[in-house]
Amino acid sequence: MTTSPTKNLTIEEYLIYDDGTDNRYELVDGKLIMVPLPTADHSDEIDLLLEVFRAEINQQKLLWQAKRDVGVYIGKSLNTGRDYSRSPDVCILLSEDWAKLKAEKGAAVLRTVPLMVVEVVSTNRKDDYVDKVEEYQGLGIPEYWIVDGRDKLVSVLLLDDGRYHRTEFRGGERIISRAFPLLVLTAEQVLSA
C-alpha cells in the first residue's frame, strides 16, 4: 500500500484528481492510497465473477449492473471528519445508479449504497478482513464477498440487523448468495479461474 504525498483531499477533490498517471487510488481518511495492480489470478477471479454475475442479472432480468472500477463513497471518518472512498474489485449496483454515474464528470464513485461488493484479497489482508468489513457494514451494504486465494475460501458476509454474519465456502461447496439466490457457483470454481 503506497500513500500519495498529496494533502488531505475532500471527496470533491478526489473525484477530479488526476496525477497524470494511470494509477488508481482509494481515498482513506483524506489520503490517496494507491491500489496495486492485480495479479493474473486476481484478475481472472474478477473476470469470472463479472461474467457469472452478468449472466445471472440477464437471466433474472434484473435492472442491475456488475462493474469493476467503480468507487464506493464510504463517508467521513467520525474521528477526523475526512472522507473515505473504496474501490471494490466488483460492485453490483442498480442500473439507474450507473446511469447517474455515467452522466457525472470525474471518477465513477457511487454515492448510494451498492447491492453487493466483492474484494479479492491481495497484499494487505487487514484491509479486506477488518477495515472494509467495518466500512461496508457501517454503510449498510447488504452483501460483501471476500475471495481469498491464500486460504482457499470465499467468505460471504450478509448484513442482518446492522451486523455482518459470515459464512465460509471451500472446495466444491456451493456459494450461497442473498443477492443471487439461484447462483450455482462453487468456491473452487472462483479460486481456480
Side-chain angles (χ1 to χ4, degrees):
M1 173 170 54
T2 305
T3 305
S4 168
T6 305
K7 66 179 178 76
N8 290 324
L9 298 178
T10 65
I11 187 65
E12 290 76 18
E13 292 168 323
Y14 171 71
L15 292 174
I16 59 170
Y17 180 80
D18 183 358
D19 64 1
T21 70
D22 289 333
N23 293 335
R24 291 182 44 225
Y25 299 95
E26 290 183 326
L27 185 64
V28 179
D29 200 25
K31 293 181 177 45
L32 294 174
I33 306 295
M34 190 165 62
V35 177
L37 287 172
T39 65
D41 287 340
H42 188 128
S43 185
D44 283 346
E45 290 162 357
I46 294 168
D47 288 344
L48 172 82
L49 289 170
L50 285 168
E51 183 179 310
V52 167
F53 293 151
R54 287 174 178 157
E56 286 294 310
I57 288 167
N58 289 333
Q59 184 177 349
Q60 296 180 44
K61 297 179 176 36
L62 300 169
L63 298 176
W64 298 359
Q65 298 287 321
K67 296 290 181 180
R68 70 183 333 154
D69 300 328
V70 172
V72 176
Y73 179 60
I74 303 299
K76 293 187 181 290
S77 165
L78 295 176
N79 296 329
T80 65
R82 295 188 191 123
D83 287 309
Y84 277 74
S85 181
R86 293 295 191 169
S87 298
D89 292 308
V90 176
C91 184
I92 308 298
L93 65 154
L94 296 172
S95 294
E96 67 187 61
D97 289 337
W98 178 245
K100 288 175 191 171
L101 278 179
K102 286 178 64 172
E104 295 175 3
K105 293 196 182 334
V109 175
L110 190 62
R111 300 266 196 138
T112 57
V113 178
L115 303 166
M116 177 180 157
V117 293
V118 177
E119 296 284 2
V120 178
V121 177
S122 53
T123 54
N124 190 345
R125 300 175 64 77
K126 180 182 175 285
D127 281 352
D128 297 324
Y129 278 105
V130 178
D131 298 342
K132 291 179 184 179
V133 169
E134 292 173 7
E135 293 164 7
Y136 293 160
Q137 178 177 270
L139 189 58
I141 298 174
E143 187 166 339
Y144 169 32
W145 287 25
I146 303 171
V147 177
D148 189 334
R150 188 185 84 182
D151 289 346
K152 304 272 188 253
L153 67 94
V154 176
S155 298
V156 175
L157 291 81
L158 298 175
L159 194 66
D160 286 312
D161 297 323
R163 305 285 305 160
Y164 276 137
H165 300 278
R166 183 166 75 179
T167 305
E168 295 179 349
F169 301 92
R170 297 177 185 276
E173 295 175 331
R174 179 178 166 250
I175 299 169
I176 306 300
S177 168
R178 189 179 291 157
F180 297 104
L182 304 178
L183 183 68
V184 178
L185 182 67
T186 67
E188 184 177 48
Q189 288 172 306
V190 173
L191 295 165
S192 63

